[in-house]
Amino acid sequence: MINNTLNPQLEQLLSEQMTPLSTADQNTIAEVSQAAPISALVDGRGLACPMPLLKTKVALRSMQPGQSIYVLATDPNSQHDLAAFCDHANLQLALNTSSVQGPVDSLEKLDTIFHLIITKTNGN
């Protein structure tokens, strides 16, 4: 499912983060990665907005059209900003979902992980 250009540590992190996702979201990831390989991972967990967006923009510069990037973030504003960025830049947002990593009643702000897959299309 994951392009082998990711180093083993990033590939393991990505696999661990996919585990709590619903079956439907995991199926979406499998479908997207077949059509547009996931070739980069942006780990924006713990970073305040707009840092996950900026890291995503930097990563997209080195990607070829048809490749996808998997973004993890914990700031809810980043989820909205990345979706708006995709609309503005004509990028395909293939997955935009979240999962809870800790106890549901936890006050930890970082327990909710937002998962996004962005595919670079021609001309961006």
Side-chain angles (χ1 to χ4, degrees):
M1 170 175 10
I2 302 166
N3 188 328
N4 60 10
T5 60
L6 289 178
N7 72 44
Q9 292 89 0
L10 291 179
E11 190 168 345
Q12 180 179 351
L13 173 65
L14 186 54
S15 296
E16 290 169 1
Q17 294 304 315
M18 287 184 195
T19 303
L21 292 175
S22 70
T23 302
D25 287 341
Q26 290 182 16
N27 289 340
T28 299
I29 292 168
E31 291 171 14
V32 169
S33 62
Q34 286 179 0
I38 297 172
S39 57
L41 170 69
V42 170
D43 188 359
R45 294 175 300 165
L47 299 176
C49 183
M51 288 308 296
L53 173 61
L54 295 174
K55 289 179 81 170
T56 300
K57 286 182 176 182
V58 169
L60 284 166
R61 288 184 195 147
S62 63
M63 294 174 54
Q64 298 299 315
Q67 292 180 320
S68 295
I69 186 169
Y70 198 106
V71 182
L72 298 169
T74 49
D75 184 343
N77 293 323
S78 293
Q79 183 185 31
H80 301 293
D81 286 353
L82 284 160
F85 169 67
C86 289
D87 285 342
H88 179 72
N90 295 318
L91 297 166
Q92 180 185 1
L93 182 58
L95 178 72
N96 187 356
T97 191
S98 62
S99 65
V100 177
Q101 299 289 342
V104 176
D105 62 350
S106 173
L107 297 176
E108 270 298 316
K109 178 178 167 179
L110 303 180
D111 284 347
T112 302
I113 308 290
F114 300 100
H115 304 258
L116 300 98
I117 296 180
I118 301 168
T119 301
K120 186 170 186 176
T121 56
N122 291 329
N124 50 29

